[in-house]
Amino acid sequence: MAIAKSPSKLTLPKHNPGVATVVDYLIYKFPQIDASIWRQRAIDKKLHWHDGSVITLETLYQPQLRVYYYREVEKEPEIPFRETVIFQNEDILLAYKPHFLPVTPGGNYVNECLQNRLRKKTGIENLQALHRIDRVTAGLVMFSVNPETCHLYHQMFANRQMRKSYQAIAKIEEHCSEPRAGQQWEVINRLECAEPRFLMRIIEGESNSHSRIRCLDRFEDKALFELEPVTGRTHQLRVHMQSLGWPIINDRYYPVLQPESADNFAQPLQLLAQQLRFKDPVTGQPRTFHCGYEMNPAT
């Protein structure tokens, strides 16, 4: 069994969803985890409050208090690709994340995530991810190194002061309109959860998602695109590319959800978080970081 070295944490919502105990809430919050597992964790004293006091099966729900627990999985998948540290100073670290590796623990992944790999590699135990990219997406991820300046970089992401640039390769079907190199699109619409809830869909209503997309190159039945997300909704770039008629190659969610199966490492999603540009909130200097890779539609 794989057990996380560091605890995960969540804050109990201000509004009780209708449960009596903390364990009841965890069962409600994480339906994919069998209820017996949460009960056993409480019995084994693996749940606790911020001050270290134990949460038992009878501990009542207390709004806005923080719960700590340790992720456990019976058999954790191993991702056979390596991360690369691009830059590090006393405040931040930027790293290239390979396809299939999650940024932080989640689901079947406890120690096989970029954050824990980097903590082990650098010895920086308080290394903290400042944002996320999908597990199946490769590219740049920024981490906080210094807890005293972490909030400054968090605010930069929250206030949309970070410019992100991606590359993607899409297959161009014969029946679709063909994009031309240099052609650009502004995609603005409303994204909401679909069914199942990890999928997103475009619906009518006030817009909450915005992407800028440009065709960079064509090669036979493929095209290379540059994508700049103005907002950061879940799966935004993947859904917006699909909405233009050019879903990203090897996307198992869009346009059609594929049956659940083990990762095919030979067919990664053709989406790369390539560049980050921002004004450093500590030094005031403009910064640009590149992941070190370019996508090629001819390969």
Side-chain angles (χ1 to χ4, degrees):
M1 175 179 288
I3 302 176
K5 182 179 179 181
S6 302
S8 296
K9 54 194 173 185
L10 66 83
T11 301
L12 299 177
K14 181 177 180 180
H15 300 289
N16 188 327
V19 299
T21 68
V22 174
V23 173
D24 288 339
Y25 177 75
L26 293 170
I27 293 170
Y28 162 82
K29 173 71 174 177
F30 301 103
Q32 71 276 20
I33 299 176
D34 192 272
S36 63
I37 293 176
W38 287 115
R39 296 190 182 104
Q40 191 61 49
R41 287 179 180 178
I43 293 170
D44 295 339
K45 300 181 179 180
K46 294 180 178 179
L47 308 175
H48 59 89
W49 297 115
H50 180 72
D51 64 1
S53 57
V54 174
I55 294 171
T56 69
L57 287 172
E58 292 77 29
T59 301
L60 296 178
Y61 183 97
Q62 299 182 56
Q64 297 184 296
L65 290 189
R66 185 164 289 182
V67 177
Y68 290 75
Y69 62 96
Y70 290 83
R71 293 184 182 272
E72 301 176 357
V73 294
E74 287 294 331
K75 187 176 181 181
E76 184 173 17
E78 182 176 347
I79 307 304
F81 306 114
R82 295 295 98 189
E83 69 285 352
T84 305
V85 175
I86 304 295
F87 172 86
Q88 181 181 346
N89 66 9
E90 64 273 16
D91 293 304
I92 56 174
L93 180 150
L94 285 98
Y96 168 79
K97 184 191 82 68
H99 291 286
F100 303 105
L101 185 71
V103 173
T104 56
N108 292 327
Y109 299 90
V110 173
N111 297 307
E112 272 293 88
C113 69
L114 182 61
Q115 181 167 276
N116 284 341
R117 281 190 182 184
L118 290 173
R119 284 178 176 176
K120 183 176 180 180
K121 176 181 289 187
T122 64
I124 304 171
E125 286 299 320
N126 56 13
L127 192 74
Q128 190 69 43
L130 290 164
H131 64 119
R132 306 285 192 274
I133 59 175
D134 291 343
R135 185 179 74 85
V136 291
T137 302
L140 274 180
V141 182
M142 183 186 293
F143 292 82
S144 167
V145 172
N146 183 357
E148 294 184 1
T149 60
C150 181
H151 68 285
L152 298 176
Y153 293 94
H154 265 304
Q155 289 172 2
M156 182 180 61
F157 281 94
N159 296 334
R160 300 182 187 175
Q161 295 170 334
M162 172 69 69
R163 294 194 65 180
K164 306 173 186 177
S165 180
Y166 289 69
Q167 283 191 345
I169 298 177
K171 188 176 180 64
I172 309 303
E173 303 289 351
E174 290 185 3
H175 64 276
C176 295
S177 60
E178 294 194 7
R180 302 183 307 275
Q183 193 172 1
Q184 301 184 55
W185 300 264
E186 294 268 347
V187 183
I188 302 173
N189 49 38
R190 183 168 187 82
L191 294 180
E192 295 290 349
C193 292
E195 188 61 40
R197 289 189 60 80
F198 57 80
L199 294 179
M200 302 296 288
R201 59 174 180 155
I202 298 171
I203 65 169
E204 295 293 329
E206 182 180 357
S207 63
N208 61 5
S209 67
H210 181 187
S211 301
R212 298 187 179 102
I213 298 174
R214 182 164 66 100
C215 182
L216 297 178
D217 195 13
R218 284 293 307 276
F219 183 82
E220 297 180 350
D221 62 345
K222 299 177 184 176
L224 173 65
F225 294 87
E226 179 183 70
L227 309 106
E228 183 179 335
V230 179
T231 57
R233 309 293 295 184
T234 300
H235 298 172
Q236 176 178 309
L237 296 178
R238 296 162 70 174
V239 176
H240 283 178
M241 284 295 294
Q242 175 208 337
S243 73
L244 293 174
W246 309 307
I248 299 171
I249 290 177
N250 297 332
D251 194 334
R252 295 184 56 80
Y253 284 5
Y254 308 98
V256 178
L257 177 63
Q258 301 300 305
E260 185 174 358
S261 63
D263 289 329
N264 184 343
F265 296 135
Q267 295 183 346
L269 177 71
Q270 294 298 288
L271 180 61
L272 175 69
Q274 190 182 57
Q275 186 170 271
L276 293 174
R277 288 174 289 165
F278 59 97
K279 181 179 179 180
D280 195 304
V282 173
T283 68
Q285 298 299 311
R287 289 189 179 277
T288 299
F289 293 100
H290 194 283
C291 74
Y293 294 89
E294 298 278 349
M295 303 196 81
N296 186 353
T299 58

